[in-house]
Amino acid sequence: MPFTARDTEAYREDEKTGHKKLGVRDREKLVENYLPAPPIRSRSRSHSRKKQETSHFGIRKFLRSQLYLLLYIIVHAIFSVYIRFRIACHVVSLRVLSILKHHHNTPDYVRRDVSTLNRLPKHVSVILTLEDGGRAGDALEKLVNEASEVAAWCASAGIPRLSIYERSGVLKRYMPQTHRALAHKLKAWFGKRQAPPLSLSSRGASTVRSASQGYLPRDLFSLDVVLISEEDGREAMVDLTKVLVQMVHKEKITAADITADVLNNELSEAIMPEPDLLISFEPYVNLQGYPPWPIRLTEIYCAPDNQGRELAGDDDMGSVLRPPVIRSAVGVLDRSLFRKTVNLAAAAVADRKKISAWRQKLQGDNALLAVERIPGVVPHPDQALASQGTKCLLLDLKIKVGVPETWTPTLQEGVSSKEVGIVPYDLFLDYDYWSYEDVMKSVLPPDLRDEHDGIPSGFNQAGHVAHMNLREAFLPYKKLIAEVLLDKNPSIKTVINKVADVGTESEFRTFAYEVLAGPNDMNVEARENDCVFRFDYSKVYWNSKLEGEHRRLINIFQPGEVVCDVMAGIGPFAVPAGKKGVFLWANDYNPESYRYLDENIRRNKVGQYVRPFNQDGRTFICEAADLVYAASANQEYAAAGPNRREKRRQHPDSSAAGNKVHPLEPERKFIPPTISHFVMNLPASAITFLPHFRGLYAGREHLFAPHTGTKLPMVHVHCFAPKAEGDASLVNVCERISAELGVGMKLGEAENTYEVSVLEVRNVAPNKCMFCASFRVPPEVAFAARS
């Protein structure tokens, strides 16, 4: 209710005096009538509270707490049952999936499989192969994955030791990465906490181990993996032989004391213990150079890999179209044995005008047979229909006649509309179909294959002669190899094999050879860099694999320059450079090379630019400088006549004959007084000729900078050097040049004085390369006094 006027007036007067007029009690009475009445329930609460306070036993409190506890237990039990049910469902579903799709990745099932064996090996060794010799981009990744799968299987089976053999030893170079991949695979199989400890080792490298784990199941043990390669054990066997021989010689032991057990113990410590079981994943036992002693008493088991190329099924194009394996008659080539019939399906097109349209449709479905050297369109196998012009499209191997489930939707549509019919077709293949590599893989024993497939395919061709350098292992099959090489290379008429290294019997770089196939006709004609060369291949040196190097240097030479080719051979540098308008002083010590060089100069019409010599290159270096200076002083030149276009203009029958055309006088190109380049292509010994550059231009300093704008000659010297990591090979070449010149040279740009640029030309052996070192003759050498 609102305040009355009287009470309001009284309150305001009290407020004006600072609340001194009314006392506390008076103010309470003033507002008391305006306050709401207290609620009744408050009194009941206070009453119950008083009763609770007066309760001596606390029965209600006890009952309430027990009720809460009961509810908690019920809720906890319900959720516990639910969670356990979910876990059980997940375990069952994962186990079902692992059985259906990944049963091989389940350690329990692997243990169950091996539990039926009478004896479980304690040491297993496997032979793995680097796919395609490592040339494929993912070959190393596949190899590591295969090693990981085998390691996980061995750990699951309870085999504590695994040795992995890979011929080239590429896994040894990636020990940490391989260990990481193996450990990851073990965790995927066993779980993160249950994976067994792993150690990875190889001969000559430190062991990589997994981090220690606190708890391991009782049935789990550590897995020791050893990486081995073809080279492992050879040094150990040689060293052991030397030690035993010395001990017998010093009478510390007798020959009778050297038993198989002694050798086994010593080699087991040096290499590895002998494995109980060796597994090869090839269709035949192929040891690939596996160290022989560690498998003296080892059981060898061949388990073909169903993912390998050699083991493709009947539907795999590679196996169906592979030639038959023929190894019964070693060294004898029977071409009739290479006949093979492949059963295919073909799409017979009713309307021959629509053959192109159906070919495009089936190509979109990947239904056609796509194989090189096999035509996609063939006559109908029925001779009557073929005579009427009916054509067929050869279908992919997965498509079967009478099995509609293998047909593509386009084929099914064509059969339904009766525009296409699926008919059987027999594809006949014979010796002429397969390539040289195919035939070699068919006739050569598999153990001859190395990391590059072991097929002797490289050869040097000079005209109609193929020059091979067969390894000793292939010599029993040399006639067969040469015969196949002739068949598959129409331009080759004669095949020879080198029986001694170049230069071992002749200082003229010729070699002893044997004719393997064809006539003994070594008079050849070769074409290189737009020039024709004729020569007797048995009397001179020629290497077609150097054509790129010849072209590279020829492109460096500029028209009008003088080049001195100290070891010119028959002119692979000199003749093409002469065609370019470069002056060549070409020398070779071999009289036969000089004779053919002179003939090739005349045959290619470069006599104005190329001058042949037959001298020792050591004396020719300085003599050439003198001859060039004398020719320049005598104002000798080459007369460059009109080109073909200008000759046609001057011809009387040309369209411009009505206009009076004065014949052009030949352009004179005078020989400069200095040599711009020296070429020394004798890799075995050319560097040893460098001391003879001393005094090259003694007393003629005025011909070069700073007196003129001419630089000292550039030398291009070829040499051999062993392969090495980084720039070690280049530094080796540079140090050898410095030692021969007697002047310090360093790697750098050839245009800079005292610097050498070294270019790798090609590999000539697994551990040997050919290089070309280019540098300018140092002033201390060029202007020194001649000896």
Side-chain angles (χ1 to χ4, degrees):
M1 59 176 292
F3 283 87
T4 62
R6 180 183 175 185
D7 293 339
T8 302
E9 185 65 26
Y11 180 79
R12 288 177 177 174
E13 289 181 358
D14 180 59
E15 186 180 13
K16 290 179 181 180
T17 60
H19 299 291
K20 295 179 180 180
K21 185 176 180 179
L22 297 177
V24 175
R25 185 62 183 168
D26 294 334
R27 286 195 294 273
E28 290 179 355
K29 288 182 178 182
L30 181 64
V31 300
E32 185 176 2
N33 296 329
Y34 304 100
L35 296 175
I40 300 175
R41 60 181 180 178
S42 63
R43 288 180 294 189
S44 64
R45 282 186 178 180
S46 61
H47 181 69
S48 63
R49 190 180 298 114
K50 290 178 182 178
K51 285 187 175 183
Q52 287 179 5
E53 292 173 358
T54 58
S55 176
H56 296 287
F57 299 101
I59 296 175
R60 294 182 180 178
K61 183 177 181 181
F62 172 74
L63 293 176
R64 188 181 298 110
S65 64
Q66 294 302 313
L67 178 62
Y68 293 159
L69 179 61
L70 179 61
L71 291 175
Y72 171 76
I73 293 174
I74 293 173
V75 173
H76 187 273
I78 293 173
F79 274 94
S80 296
V81 172
Y82 170 72
I83 294 299
R84 291 180 182 274
F85 178 75
R86 284 191 59 182
I87 293 174
C89 290
H90 288 169
V91 170
V92 172
S93 62
L94 290 176
R95 181 54 58 91
V96 171
L97 289 176
S98 65
I99 293 173
L100 294 178
K101 297 186 177 181
H102 305 285
H103 56 277
H104 57 285
N105 290 353
T106 308
D108 294 341
Y109 282 88
V110 175
R111 294 193 194 100
R112 188 177 305 173
D113 290 340
V114 300
S115 63
T116 59
L117 300 176
N118 296 328
R119 182 169 60 91
L120 188 67
K122 298 299 181 183
H123 180 188
V124 170
S125 185
V126 296
I127 299 176
L128 301 181
T129 304
L130 184 63
E131 185 180 11
D132 198 24
R135 291 184 288 272
D138 59 346
L140 180 58
E141 182 180 353
K142 289 181 179 179
L143 179 64
V144 173
N145 186 60
E146 291 175 359
S148 303
E149 291 283 351
V150 174
W153 185 91
C154 288
S156 302
I159 300 173
R161 191 175 186 87
L162 169 68
S163 54
I164 300 174
Y165 173 80
E166 193 281 316
R167 188 165 196 165
S168 65
V170 64
L171 291 177
K172 295 181 181 181
R173 300 198 293 268
Y174 302 95
M175 290 273 288
Q177 295 85 345
T178 304
H179 180 273
R180 193 180 306 117
L182 266 61
H184 179 76
K185 183 65 70 173
L186 291 176
K187 292 178 181 178
W189 279 47
F190 290 86
K192 187 174 182 181
R193 301 289 182 183
Q194 289 76 29
L198 172 69
S199 67
L200 182 67
S201 61
S202 66
R203 188 172 183 271
S206 57
T207 303
V208 183
R209 302 183 184 275
S210 299
S212 60
Q213 299 179 358
Y215 168 76
L216 288 176
R218 297 180 62 183
D219 58 344
L220 207 59
F221 51 84
S222 63
L223 177 64
D224 298 329
V225 180
V226 182
L227 302 179
I228 57 177
S229 65
E230 187 178 20
E231 299 298 327
D232 286 332
R234 293 184 178 180
E235 295 180 1
M237 296 178 73
V238 173
D239 294 340
L240 178 60
T241 303
K242 291 180 179 178
V243 171
L244 293 176
V245 170
Q246 291 175 359
M247 294 180 69
V248 171
H249 182 70
K250 295 179 181 179
E251 298 183 351
K252 293 183 178 180
I253 61 174
T254 63
D257 296 330
I258 305 175
T259 63
D261 292 334
V262 172
L263 296 177
N264 186 36
N265 293 334
E266 294 294 334
L267 291 175
S268 296
E269 294 181 3
I271 309 172
M272 67 175 186
E274 186 172 5
D276 302 319
L277 177 65
L278 174 63
I279 302 176
S280 172
F281 299 102
E282 295 285 342
Y284 41 78
V285 177
N286 183 6
L287 298 182
Q288 301 184 25
Y290 196 103
W293 182 262
I295 54 174
R296 182 174 56 95
L297 300 176
T298 298
E299 180 181 353
I300 301 176
Y301 178 71
C302 183
D305 182 1
N306 58 6
Q307 294 181 355
R309 292 182 302 169
E310 299 292 336
L311 302 167
D314 291 338
D315 291 336
D316 185 82
M317 188 176 302
S319 64
V320 173
L321 299 180
R322 188 176 296 119
V325 178
I326 304 169
R327 300 193 180 104
S328 58
V330 176
V332 177
L333 179 62
D334 188 349
R335 296 171 180 82
S336 63
L337 297 178
F338 285 86
R339 295 170 184 167
K340 186 175 184 179
T341 301
V342 181
N343 299 320
L344 299 173
V349 182
D351 187 354
R352 58 184 178 183
K353 295 181 180 179
K354 295 183 178 180
I355 191 74
S356 297
W358 274 105
R359 187 174 188 175
Q360 292 180 356
K361 289 181 182 180
L362 295 176
Q363 279 180 341
D365 275 4
N366 294 324
L368 295 181
L369 182 70
V371 180
E372 293 182 358
R373 293 175 284 120
I374 293 181
V377 181
V378 295
H380 197 285
D382 188 333
Q383 295 298 327
L385 295 176
S387 62
Q388 299 175 9
T390 305
K391 301 288 186 180
C392 291
L393 298 171
L394 294 183
L395 299 177
D396 191 80
L397 293 168
K398 64 178 179 290
I399 297 175
K400 303 298 182 182
V401 179
V403 186
E405 293 81 6
T406 63
W407 301 351
T408 64
T410 304
L411 275 177
Q412 294 177 0
E413 178 185 349
V415 173
S416 300
S417 63
K418 297 184 179 180
E419 294 186 42
V420 173
I422 309 299
V423 298
Y425 186 89
D426 292 334
L427 178 65
F428 297 100
L429 302 176
D430 58 10
Y431 174 80
D432 294 333
Y433 167 73
W434 283 291
S435 65
Y436 169 81
E437 288 77 11
D438 293 334
V439 176
M440 285 294 99
K441 290 179 181 179
S442 177
V443 299
L444 293 180
D447 55 355
L448 290 183
R449 299 184 184 181
D450 57 10
E451 62 271 16
H452 301 294
D453 289 339
I455 304 301
S457 57
F459 58 88
N460 179 28
Q461 184 172 355
H464 64 271
V465 176
H467 163 211
M468 306 194 75
N469 186 14
L470 293 175
R471 294 184 302 168
E472 184 177 357
F474 290 113
L475 292 181
Y477 309 92
K478 57 187 179 182
K479 297 289 186 179
L480 183 147
I481 294 171
E483 198 171 351
V484 177
L485 193 65
L486 277 184
D487 292 339
K488 302 302 178 180
N489 295 272
S491 62
I492 296 176
K493 305 301 180 185
T494 302
V495 180
I496 64 173
N497 181 47
K498 183 173 65 174
V499 296
D501 290 337
V502 174
T504 55
E505 297 183 1
S506 171
E507 59 181 332
F508 299 140
R509 291 191 288 179
T510 57
F511 56 89
Y513 67 91
E514 59 177 337
V515 178
L516 301 181
N520 188 9
D521 179 13
M522 305 299 285
N523 292 306
V524 303
E525 178 177 297
R527 296 180 179 272
E528 184 177 291
N529 292 316
D530 299 327
C531 296
V532 178
F533 299 90
R534 292 180 183 173
F535 51 91
D536 186 337
Y537 191 40
S538 64
K539 297 179 179 180
V540 301
Y541 178 79
W542 176 268
N543 192 340
S544 59
K545 296 178 181 179
L546 293 176
E547 181 177 359
E549 176 65 5
H550 298 158
R551 186 183 303 111
R552 183 184 72 86
L553 288 179
I554 292 169
N555 290 336
I556 294 175
F557 307 152
Q558 298 300 315
E561 292 182 335
V562 178
V563 175
C564 176
D565 192 349
V566 184
M567 302 93 174
I570 64 169
F573 284 110
V575 175
K579 270 198 169 184
K580 186 179 177 180
V582 180
F583 293 101
L584 261 298
W585 262 247
N587 172 74
D588 199 271
Y589 189 45
N590 182 359
E592 292 293 331
S593 295
Y594 167 75
R595 180 167 70 87
Y596 287 111
L597 171 63
D598 188 39
E599 290 183 9
N600 291 322
I601 291 172
R602 287 185 275 105
R603 178 173 291 106
N604 291 276
K605 301 178 181 179
V606 291
Q608 290 193 94
Y609 292 95
V610 184
R611 304 187 183 190
F613 297 87
N614 180 213
Q615 299 181 15
D616 187 334
R618 298 171 179 83
T619 59
F620 179 72
I621 291 174
C622 287
E623 184 176 335
D626 297 339
L627 291 174
V628 171
Y629 183 77
S632 177
N634 295 332
Q635 294 188 340
E636 297 181 15
Y637 61 87
N643 55 32
R644 292 182 179 179
R645 181 179 300 179
E646 293 170 343
K647 288 181 178 179
R648 285 197 299 267
R649 289 183 58 203
Q650 297 177 11
H651 197 275
D653 297 334
S654 65
S655 59
N659 301 325
K660 188 174 182 180
V661 179
H662 296 283
L664 296 176
E665 293 186 4
E667 179 185 359
R668 295 184 178 183
K669 292 184 178 181
F670 290 93
I671 299 175
T674 60
I675 298 174
S676 298
H677 299 270
F678 280 87
V679 179
M680 305 172 68
N681 185 19
L682 186 64
S685 59
I687 284 184
T688 62
F689 285 57
L690 294 180
H692 297 275
F693 279 89
R694 183 166 296 278
L696 180 68
Y697 283 106
R700 295 175 182 159
E701 292 86 345
H702 62 281
L703 298 176
F704 301 95
H707 308 287
T708 65
T710 304
K711 296 182 179 180
L712 284 167
M714 178 82 72
V715 178
H716 308 278
V717 56
H718 292 82
C719 62
F720 294 129
K723 285 185 179 179
E725 296 293 334
D727 294 338
S729 298
L730 312 185
V731 173
N732 172 267
V733 173
C734 188
E735 291 175 348
R736 289 160 57 191
I737 292 174
S738 300
E740 295 293 341
L741 290 176
V743 177
M745 307 289 284
K746 63 180 181 179
L747 283 177
E749 295 295 330
E751 287 294 338
N752 301 329
T753 309
Y754 307 112
E755 291 187 7
V756 183
S757 67
V758 183
L759 175 70
E760 181 178 337
V761 177
R762 70 184 190 97
N763 294 330
V764 296
N767 297 311
K768 185 179 180 181
C769 285
M770 176 180 174
F771 296 89
C772 178
S774 300
F775 61 93
R776 291 205 176 273
V777 180
E780 296 92 327
V781 176
F783 302 137
R786 292 186 183 180
S787 57

